[in-house]
Amino acid sequence: MITPLPHEKGFHVSWDQLHRDARALAWRLDKRGPGADGAWRAVVAITRGGMAPAMIVARELDIRTVDTISVKSYHAGGGKADTQREAEVLKSPDDAMMGDGEGVLIVDDLVDTGKTLELVRQLYPKAHFATIYAKPKGEPMVDTFITGVSQDTWIFFPWDMALQYVEPYRGKD
Ligand SMILES: O=P(O)(O)OC[C@H]1O[C@H](OP(=O)(O)OP(=O)(O)O)[C@H](O)[C@@H]1O
Ligand code: HPA
Ligand SMILES: [Mg+2]
């Protein structure tokens, strides 16, 4: 995990916004599969952030075969630089279903440095990689995305947030 702290800007995504953007992603992917009818065989969510987007995409495109791949990322050697980010697969999707990934949509919430998708792409080179948000470093790793944000922006997802009381700007003396 990369921390929000060194990031200059924040981009806050509500559930509503996420739902709209995930639907936009589904519509963009509709009838773009490799078969004659353009259908996709399956959706695979990269856990955990890809699960809500993948569910919405699968619902919109009427795809009932849904699986997950669990990727854990960490900073190699305890370093802080994004370039030292490494990733490891903790749980794989069904092998027989996946093959080389042809006709499979692999969905994540965002691509940042691209390390997560780079690893999954090596495993399933013919899959189609889709994210809702993309930062410039990771863009070459993703086939379809909806919204680009700058590298120094931290995206805050609704599942990481909570509504909280805030003191009025002009508080009591
Ligand atoms: O392009 P990258 O630099 O690899 O970063 C993107 C990945 O980082 C986040 O997941 P994280 O590994 O933090 O786990 P989570 O989905 O369980 O929150 C995010 O959901 C992407 O999967
Ligand atoms: O911008 C981000 N937001 C949330 N999780 C992330 N994981 C990598 N980058 C991000
Ligand atoms: Mg993730």
Side-chain angles (χ1 to χ4, degrees), residues 2 85 110 112 135 153-155 157:
I2 310 177
R85 193 161 149 87
L110 85 146
D112 188 321
K135 299 190 191 179
T153 296
W154 185 260
I155 303 170
F157 287 103

Side-chain angles (χ1 to χ4, degrees), residues 1-2 46-50 71-73 85 108-117:
M1 134 129 183
I2 310 177
I46 302 182
T47 67
R48 294 156 304 177
V71 178
K72 182 169 169 51
S73 54
R85 193 161 149 87
D108 208 349
D109 50 358
L110 85 146
V111 60
D112 188 321
T113 65
K115 287 285 178 192
T116 303
L117 293 193

